[in-house]
Amino acid sequence: MGSGKSTTMRFVAKALEDAGRPALAVHERADPHPVRATDELQHWFEPWRESTAEQLAACALSRWRSFAQTIRVDLAVPVLDGQLFHGDLTNLFLMEASLDEIATYCDSLVQLIEPLRPLVVYLRQENVERAVRTVCAERGEAWLKYQVDWKLKGPYAVRRNLVGLEGLIALYQDYRLMTDALFDRLPLDKMAIETRGETGRGTTGRSWNGSVWTAYQAPVEVRVTGRIRATNGPSPTPPVREHPEAGDVAVRLQSPAADGRTRP
């Protein structure tokens, strides 16, 4: 949270449109959402009340499978805001699914989307404590209470007696250790970006510093436009593997398909 997922999603979608590629921007709060499994639950904010982690993972994979099948015949490039390591994976973490269970879920999801040649952009902040304190200070006490009342009521936090702002910080420190490991083993085209604790215009209405904003978006734009150009050449650009440093997370899916169109 506060890493700029939504802002970057909109930026990537616009870059694609500007390059002549139809884009479908899918915000994490889209309702209905094409891949969010908790949409099917009555207590979607507290999935542990009516679902096991295994059941939620199975439901999520079913939705991803349907989504991937739809994208195969759709011209628009979907740009998803934080759904690989966020969304339902966050819920699995809050529900205290084991690391092996979460890794298995992630591996299964990757198998579904790998034929579409996705690009995963991982947004990280080196200092998790500072990042959480900053975003909570910017968004206010009501927002902090909303986060605490939600994320610290799950089995993971309750078992570890995580409470208040300090508990939320500890939760996200553990969460990033997990997503770092998951990102490191991803067999997909991927890139990691350190956001330096900055937040973008959006939820808070705070503007980016111009130099930070340019440096932050430039590598994403280069990768996306490079992929678009590759569709006009004799062969697509081979995937580039980049080792992450770690981080908070967001996902953008985009890639050229074998038929020359750009796919997620």
Side-chain angles (χ1 to χ4, degrees), residues 31-216:
D31 188 17
H33 195 285
V35 300
R36 188 173 55 212
T38 51
D39 280 10
E40 301 183 18
L41 302 179
Q42 179 180 356
H43 302 286
W44 59 273
F45 240 39
E46 302 172 304
W48 49 86
R49 293 180 58 181
E50 57 184 293
S51 175
T52 65
E54 182 180 11
Q55 290 169 337
L56 186 68
C59 181
L61 291 174
S62 177
R63 294 176 71 97
W64 274 100
R65 184 177 296 106
S66 297
F67 180 70
Q69 292 170 348
T70 299
I71 295 309
R72 288 178 182 274
V73 296
D74 194 344
L75 288 172
V77 178
V79 187
L80 275 71
D81 173 6
Q83 291 305 310
L84 180 57
F85 293 161
H86 198 32
D88 289 318
L89 189 140
T90 297
N91 282 315
L92 293 176
F93 175 75
L94 297 178
M95 295 168 76
E96 208 176 19
S98 70
L99 292 179
D100 286 343
E101 289 173 325
I102 292 175
T104 297
Y105 162 77
C106 191
D107 289 345
S108 298
L109 197 163
V110 166
Q111 289 178 9
L112 294 175
I113 63 175
E114 190 169 18
L116 304 175
R117 300 192 60 228
L119 168 64
V120 177
V121 180
Y122 185 55
L123 305 182
R124 79 180 295 275
Q125 298 185 34
E126 173 64 29
N127 190 321
V128 174
E129 178 179 357
R130 183 182 65 187
V132 174
R133 290 188 186 280
T134 297
V135 73
C136 288
E138 289 179 350
R139 298 181 181 182
E141 287 295 327
W143 188 85
L144 171 58
K145 184 178 185 302
Y146 153 77
Q147 290 291 321
V148 166
D149 288 348
W150 166 26
K151 294 173 180 174
L152 300 191
K153 300 299 184 184
Y156 186 93
V158 169
R159 187 182 297 274
R160 290 160 180 79
N161 195 31
L162 302 181
V163 296
L165 175 58
E166 300 303 322
L168 192 65
I169 291 169
L171 180 81
Y172 270 99
Q173 288 172 331
D174 291 350
Y175 177 79
R176 202 187 68 181
L177 287 174
M178 176 190 68
T179 57
D180 285 349
L182 293 174
F183 182 83
D184 195 31
R185 65 200 294 272
L186 273 183
L188 302 174
D189 193 5
K190 61 190 179 182
M191 60 191 302
I193 297 177
E194 169 61 48
T195 64
R196 305 187 186 94
E198 298 291 338
T199 55
R201 184 180 297 279
T203 304
T204 65
R206 176 170 173 265
S207 297
W208 288 79
N209 171 278
S211 61
V212 172
W213 182 243
T214 301
Y216 175 77

